[in-house]
Amino acid sequence: MTLPLVSVVIPCRNAGRMLRPALESVLGQTWPRLEIIFVDNNSTDGSAAVAQQVLGADARPFVVTECAAQGVNHTRNFGYGLAHGDYIQWLDADDCLDPDKIALQVAALDASPADDIAYGDWSVHWLWAGRPDRTRRHTPTQTNDQVLRTLTGIWYPPHSYLLRRSAAELLQRVQAWWPARGVATDVEYSALAALLGLRFRYVPGAHVHYHVWSDQQLTSAIRQDERIASLRAIFQRLRRFADDSRARVTLTDAHRLLLQQDWTPAALRRDLVTFVRLAQGRFILRRRRDGHRIELDRHEAMIARWLTFTGYAAVPMHQALAIAADVPELSDDTIGIFRAIDRLRREGFLPPIDAADKG
């Protein structure tokens, strides 16, 4: 029996010292049947020549080509057009795969025909020149409500996924890699996959590496206001997508809350409010300037106190993720945090901040 072919699509713009390890991680895969599609996007550091040298020294079939249209999604779409595989593996040219990543996920999807996309574990590595290296490992779980996961902003790097060709083709038809999008592209891609009703399967041990290493990366180079503007546009598109009946899942009130969230940065300033403790773990939050008050339960009070203590000026998604990461008792209740933040905004306790204060 012929083994399924996996197409590894690698968009690249100036991957520098990270390119060779990325390519070697593909050549080191234990899955034997791969094709490698390397698409250079106007690099000025000789990335295409490095790719030709590294890939040319191996027996696996490969293509090194160019996409003249600037932008990572143009490059991904160009590369997909050359792919023949039964499965699609996306890989940015400065990240890496563990040797058995693809083999584990092919086996999992082969054993579970109802599932469309496999995902796994990942580590982020901070590799700044002149600074100590740092690593943080993330081990997800099986999450069946992927719409909720994607809309709350809980992120998996795109190379953690392996997609059946049928799933990738459906996403191409709706232009999930939106050509004009330059920021948060993977958020849009995975959210559309979830809204389309594609089924995700967690594969333990299918591990990848995400690298933060240069101030020229999108991760580092994009200003926060640009990132927020892109997320606002993405969520507008997701709302339209859901409202015109292309979504193939039943949306709950929690999904709708997240789709409609406010993308204006705001902060809860400690000098403008007073906390009053009541009996049985309840609190009053009072606004000093006009005396407006609301009653909070214990979790709402924890959220409000965190916001006042940190003074964190941000959009709800980023505030909620920060609170979930920082407050162990709330770590599994991101949607509850969203609801509390939404209430504080509606009651006027989280006023928008000026552009000069966004930090």
Side-chain angles (χ1 to χ4, degrees):
M1 184 181 71
T2 302
L3 292 173
L5 176 66
V6 178
S7 297
V8 184
V9 181
I10 308 175
C12 178
R13 177 170 170 79
N14 294 335
R17 62 188 174 91
M18 308 306 297
L19 176 56
R20 189 176 292 270
L23 297 174
E24 290 174 348
S25 81
V26 177
L27 298 178
Q29 289 300 299
T30 59
W31 183 255
R33 192 158 182 248
L34 301 178
E35 67 170 6
I36 304 163
I37 300 163
F38 181 91
V39 187
D40 189 64
N41 192 209
N42 304 311
S43 292
T44 59
D45 66 350
S47 286
V50 172
Q52 185 69 43
Q53 178 190 45
V54 173
L55 298 177
D58 189 86
R60 298 184 194 244
F62 72 94
V63 173
V64 174
T65 186
E66 296 182 2
C67 174
Q70 191 62 53
V72 65
N73 280 356
H74 285 295
T75 313
R76 287 169 174 146
N77 290 328
F78 186 92
Y80 181 82
L82 302 175
H84 303 95
D86 304 289
Y87 294 94
I88 303 297
Q89 170 70 62
W90 303 106
L91 176 64
D92 289 353
D94 55 0
D95 293 321
C96 293
L97 313 173
D98 270 8
D100 57 355
K101 187 269 187 190
I102 289 175
L104 287 170
Q105 291 184 330
V106 170
L109 290 175
D110 185 58
S112 183
D115 293 323
D116 304 290
I117 301 173
Y119 65 102
D121 307 328
W122 60 285
S123 294
V124 57
H125 305 275
W126 289 269
L127 304 172
W128 295 96
R131 306 182 199 173
D133 294 350
R134 292 188 295 124
T135 295
R136 180 184 300 159
R137 182 158 180 146
H138 298 262
T139 304
T141 58
Q142 178 61 36
T143 303
N144 293 324
D145 190 346
Q146 289 288 337
V147 175
L148 192 69
R149 192 271 300 178
T150 57
L151 297 183
T152 53
I154 297 172
W155 181 77
Y156 309 151
H159 58 304
S160 72
Y161 301 118
L162 183 76
L163 293 84
R164 293 189 191 276
R165 179 61 179 248
S166 55
E169 190 63 33
L170 181 58
L171 286 160
Q172 288 299 119
R173 288 202 294 270
V174 300
Q175 293 186 287
W177 293 128
W178 188 252
R181 196 83 67 213
V183 183
T185 57
D186 41 11
V187 173
E188 187 168 18
Y189 192 83
S190 58
L192 285 168
L195 287 169
L196 284 165
L198 296 173
R199 292 170 59 97
F200 292 66
R201 172 59 51 189
Y202 170 59
V203 182
H207 180 254
V208 303
H209 304 264
Y210 175 76
H211 296 136
V212 181
W213 62 281
S214 168
D215 58 9
Q216 299 304 307
Q217 288 178 277
L218 282 177
T219 302
S220 308
I222 298 299
R223 299 197 316 268
Q224 186 69 353
D225 58 340
E226 293 177 299
R227 190 175 302 277
I228 291 169
S230 185
L231 285 167
R232 181 184 290 113
I234 288 169
F235 272 66
Q236 288 173 348
R237 185 187 180 204
L238 296 177
R239 285 198 302 272
R240 291 194 300 269
F241 190 88
D243 291 342
D244 69 9
S245 302
R246 283 183 289 175
R248 301 180 186 178
V249 294
T250 300
L251 297 181
T252 66
D253 289 343
H255 298 146
R256 295 287 182 187
L257 171 66
L258 296 167
L259 281 168
Q260 295 164 5
Q261 66 184 278
D262 190 348
W263 290 96
T264 306
L268 202 166
R269 289 176 48 185
R270 70 172 73 184
D271 59 325
L272 300 181
V273 296
T274 301
F275 282 91
V276 179
R277 188 183 186 107
L278 304 176
Q280 299 179 334
R282 302 192 68 83
F283 295 80
I284 292 290
L285 181 65
R286 184 177 66 86
R287 195 163 52 217
R288 292 179 180 176
R289 65 177 171 81
D290 60 4
H292 178 60
R293 59 176 58 198
I294 57 174
E295 187 172 333
L296 308 176
D297 63 26
R298 188 169 66 88
H299 280 184
E300 289 174 326
M302 291 170 66
I303 292 162
R305 285 192 179 280
W306 187 96
L307 289 166
T308 57
F309 178 77
T310 63
Y312 185 34
V315 298
M317 173 185 284
H318 296 155
Q319 288 173 328
L321 291 172
I323 293 169
D326 202 39
V327 183
E329 188 172 342
L330 302 175
S331 61
D332 294 326
D333 190 23
T334 306
I335 188 60
I337 300 172
F338 262 96
R339 292 188 190 280
I341 292 172
D342 181 65
R343 184 187 178 204
L344 291 169
R345 283 182 173 245
R346 287 186 286 105
E347 294 283 356
F349 285 93
L350 275 166
I353 60 171
D354 295 331
D357 296 329
K358 290 179 184 177

